[in-house]
Amino acid sequence: MSRNLQMHNVRARGLRSARKLGLTHGASAMALLLGVAAAGAASAQTVATPGVASVEEVVVTGTRVVRDGYQAPTPLTVISETEILAAAPSNVADFVNDIPSIVGSATPQTSNASISSGTAGVNALNLRGLGASRTLVLLNGQRSVGSTITGSVDVNTFPQGLISGVQIVTGGASAAYGSDAVSGVVNFILDTDYQGFKGSVEAGQTTYGDDDEYRVNLTYGTPFAGGRGHLLLNGEIVDREGIYGVPRDWNNDGWYIITNPNYAPGNGQPERFVTSGAGLSNATPGGIIVNTPLRGTTFGVGGVVGQQAYGLTRDPWMIGGDWESVQVNNKQSLNADDRRKGFFGRVSFDITDNIEIFGQFSYNEHASLGWTGVQFNQGNVTIRSDNAFLPADIRQQLAALNIASFNLGTTNADLPIRKTDNERSVTRYVVGAEGDFDAFDRAWRWDAYYQRGETDTLEIARDITNNARLALAQDAVFAPNGDIVCRSTLTNPTNGCVPFNRMGIGVNSQAALDYILGNPQRKQFFTQQVAAANISGDPFSTWAGPVSMAAGIEHRKEEVSGEVPTEFQSGWFVGNYRPTFGSYTVTEAYVEAVIPLADGFDLNAAVRGTDYSTSGYVTTWKVGAVYSPIPDVRFRVTRSRDIRAPNLNELFAAGTSRTNTLLDPFNNNQSTQFLELTTGNLNLDPELADTWGVGVVLQPTFLPGFAAAIDYFDIQIEGAIGSVQANTIVDRCFQGNQTYCAAITRSGNQISQVSVSPFNFAVQKSRGLDLEASYRFNLGDGAMALRAVGTYYLENYEDNGIDAPTDTAGSISLPEFIYRATATYTADPWTIQVTGRGVSESTYDNSFIECTTGCPVSTIENRTINNNKIDGAFYVDLAMTYDLKVLQKTEAFVSISNLFNRDPEIVAYGPAGTAYGNPSTSQGVYDILGRVFRVGVRFEY
């Protein structure tokens, strides 16, 4: 090989490594360049502990950059490919979601019941619990098209077999990375230099014999044209059966939060009551009469009449009695099924020793089907006394009492379980170039690319009742010839109505079901176009060293369109989709600099101008400093202004609706079923966030291989975009706030519809501490690597300017302390990893006042409750890998998550909404599947 070609290959590898780390894309470049300056890395020297693998380094145009979070100016958690492979997760998203700073993410387990929102089945990351829309997810430093209308990126669309690492930048990063990075950035790094052929074949199953999963991943990379070109291919197939229902014992005890049957204002009893052995008092699987002297009459299998044993009752709940017979919280999917196919291809070519051009294509298909619960009617079905399906003795009693009609409550056992069926295809094209050049006796790096992403979605809500047809079908009477027909058919014989019996189990024909059921659906199309260019270098030096700078420009267009058949736009129990149309553009430019001021003291500053077509111009900025008085200690501080503009859904959503329930204070807190309508708001302004970060890093020279960091973060968002829950709207209207009353529609004295739209809240705030420590050392014939990360949330609250703000840190929505620790021991041919992960105890709601007797007055702002504590949890995972010494590398592995099969902690829901159908735990906080086994083989040659 000629010397010129050798130099070309070295330089090309350096450029590719730089791009993998984001060094040619603005913020990442400055973050790691500042890391170099902070560490005083003026030489190409590698420091290692004897016998222990050194910190991996990459060559970047003559500078050696350490790839770990301790060198960065802002808190940066780096996950290596080695860590991911050692843990053998089902997918990378599952592994990343275990990082404590990521909490409340949308996963197939937590988003399964989202029928109308279109998010079912996605894996969308959420930093700091501030929402997925405030977390910027990148692939090799580049944006990716969202899989939902909110812009959330499904991490499962990334090529899993090519991910060589993940960088998690916590804290505001809009000035450096671009808009939407309010809570931080998660950057997935691809190994675009891979050469060879590798793959994996894996299978998994829970200890209960369900949720079978199969996965095959293949990767091929080869150079061509004498090493100037490089071809990279990756394909993946995943089939996960999911779990229909909730077949776990912890869900069988009837835990709910109910309104205390013994409560009356001022009597010293708690208003809310957490209890087991509870169930609905106003709905049974086959139907129950909820008013008139026949209250409590039930209809069972074949329409057999019975009498409900109520126990202690306060509608819509009861404790004791026949509580077990009315349970329906096992009618959701514990885990939605998941079917994915993905292809990724990339070709690059060095047209000169200094310039590489590349083209990239990826295509992913995803399909997910899950149960979302039964259809419920809590005492709001009107049955007339001449209904032909009424048993004769009931009809006679009604006639004797001169009762014209009664109300029926039912969870509709004869209706199939509702389902959400989502299909998505995500296509992404990227073309670009990158390179380096010398000018003014300085080395410069540059990159430019154009990306177009397209997402096609089909959202189907299966087995949903049509409100009008159901109303006609349930009003059944005897025709003159003695046949049972719909009352409407007597006057309109050709209307096609098929009578439906609401009273009993197993009493309806398929023809009746076919008449009232349908599958509302919507097609949506999201497109994202991005054009960007960046340049970075060291234009001059100060007395303390070279000044590093980066600058760039980006233009982006986001667009949504849709199709919904007219018949599915209204009139259904849930769904009621409407097509959404809209678009906006964003143009951004930034400049960032790292300025060394003294030995071990560096200043980092960035400014970005962003112009939105919908809301105008905004400036974001960042100022930070790193000070290392001695090599063992490094201090860092960052202050930034960050932004997030409203997304396509928040701006343009044409409206989706679902049937829900609330407690109506206008009617003695009666459980009321209503239509909840969600629409967009074109008057939204961008969110503005102020972020502080202060931290210290310890890397003692007397303890090689050890490093630790603690960082404080403070994020305050002004004008945060959010919405108020329907019950809160009604409560505030009851208190006299007319702004809320305008969102309520009534039919007579009953609430029939509540409109829920986003608006700019006054303040949203999050404060806490990030903790990280690692230690690598020799042990026997092998090496041990210890690592622990944790996040301690000090405060997290929303203040909409009207309601009393409630701090959610320490509540079940955001446990106070989340942590993860791993111990990995490697001694050829074995690698063994033990992981402990957990959350601290929490409350149901920090605004609740816990008491059992002598309780203060219960208010909307501070409800009283008998038990406001939820226990924490700790889980242990085990993974083992064995090198079979076949081919270049062949490894067999087994992983066991939740090794001791610990059940999740009980979390009760209620008293309104869909609490009756929720499994009795928090699916986003606790491990809900139980022990899960995974086995497989990885090979490479």
Side-chain angles (χ1 to χ4, degrees), residues 30 33-34 37 445 537-540 546-550 592-596:
M30 287 294 95
L33 285 170
L34 180 55
R445 297 167 296 280
D538 304 334
F540 59 91
V547 173
S548 300
M549 296 190 69
E592 187 172 8
V594 178
I595 306 171

Side-chain angles (χ1 to χ4, degrees), residues 804-866:
T806 299
D807 183 9
T808 63
S811 71
I812 190 60
S813 62
L814 187 67
E816 190 173 56
F817 186 45
I818 305 174
Y819 55 93
R820 184 177 192 272
T822 60
T824 306
Y825 182 69
T826 302
D828 190 44
W830 287 96
T831 297
I832 302 173
Q833 183 181 89
V834 178
T835 299
R837 52 189 169 90
V839 298
S840 59
E841 66 177 31
S842 58
T843 67
Y844 281 99
D845 193 310
N846 289 339
S847 69
F848 287 167
I849 299 173
E850 183 175 330
C851 57
T852 55
T853 59
C855 294
V857 175
S858 186
T859 65
I860 293 174
E861 292 82 7
N862 298 107
R863 307 277 190 185
T864 53
I865 192 168
N866 68 315

Side-chain angles (χ1 to χ4, degrees), residues 736-875:
N737 190 313
Q738 294 303 308
T739 300
Y740 286 101
C741 295
I744 301 171
T745 302
R746 296 181 180 275
S747 177
N749 68 340
Q750 295 291 316
I751 295 173
S752 59
Q753 179 177 296
V754 179
S755 295
V756 179
S757 297
F759 65 95
N760 289 99
F761 281 104
V763 173
Q764 185 166 350
K765 189 171 184 178
S766 180
R767 296 190 302 115
L769 296 170
D770 285 325
L771 311 167
E772 181 169 357
S774 60
Y775 185 35
R776 298 182 178 94
F777 57 94
N778 295 326
L779 183 63
D781 294 330
M784 175 69 78
L786 305 177
R787 187 179 189 184
V789 291
T791 297
Y792 189 87
Y793 292 93
L794 300 171
E795 185 178 31
N796 190 290
Y797 77 87
E798 287 183 344
D799 181 359
N800 60 19
I802 300 173
D803 301 326
T806 299
D807 183 9
T808 63
S811 71
I812 190 60
S813 62
L814 187 67
E816 190 173 56
F817 186 45
I818 305 174
Y819 55 93
R820 184 177 192 272
T822 60
T824 306
Y825 182 69
T826 302
D828 190 44
W830 287 96
T831 297
I832 302 173
Q833 183 181 89
V834 178
T835 299
R837 52 189 169 90
V839 298
S840 59
E841 66 177 31
S842 58
T843 67
Y844 281 99
D845 193 310
N846 289 339
S847 69
F848 287 167
I849 299 173
E850 183 175 330
C851 57
T852 55
T853 59
C855 294
V857 175
S858 186
T859 65
I860 293 174
E861 292 82 7
N862 298 107
R863 307 277 190 185
T864 53
I865 192 168
N866 68 315
N867 179 15
N868 197 28
K869 179 182 176 182
I870 303 170
D871 288 338
F874 180 76
Y875 304 97

Side-chain angles (χ1 to χ4, degrees), residues 132-176:
S133 61
R134 298 186 180 101
T135 301
L136 181 58
V137 176
L138 302 175
L139 181 63
N140 263 5
Q142 301 169 351
R143 289 180 183 261
S144 185
V145 64
S147 292
T148 71
I149 192 173
T150 63
S152 297
V153 175
D154 186 357
V155 175
N156 283 338
T157 62
F158 295 167
Q160 308 284 301
L162 279 171
I163 294 175
S164 62
V166 184
Q167 298 170 339
I168 304 172
V169 181
T170 52
S174 294

Side-chain angles (χ1 to χ4, degrees), residues 400-440:
L401 294 168
N402 196 28
I403 296 173
S405 65
F406 61 85
N407 288 348
L408 185 82
T410 177
T411 52
N412 296 289
D414 267 18
L415 294 178
I417 294 173
R418 296 176 298 164
K419 305 167 188 70
T420 179
D421 187 353
N422 284 255
E423 297 179 5
R424 297 183 187 86
S425 64
V426 179
T427 307
R428 187 170 181 263
Y429 312 85
V430 185
V431 293
E434 58 191 21
D436 70 297
F437 62 93
D438 294 329
F440 310 106

Side-chain angles (χ1 to χ4, degrees), residues 15 24 33 60-61 435-436 443-447 534-538:
L15 284 171
T24 60
L33 285 170
V60 183
T61 60
D436 70 297
W444 298 84
R445 297 167 296 280
W446 63 272
D447 74 281
N534 305 275
I535 186 170
S536 62
D538 304 334

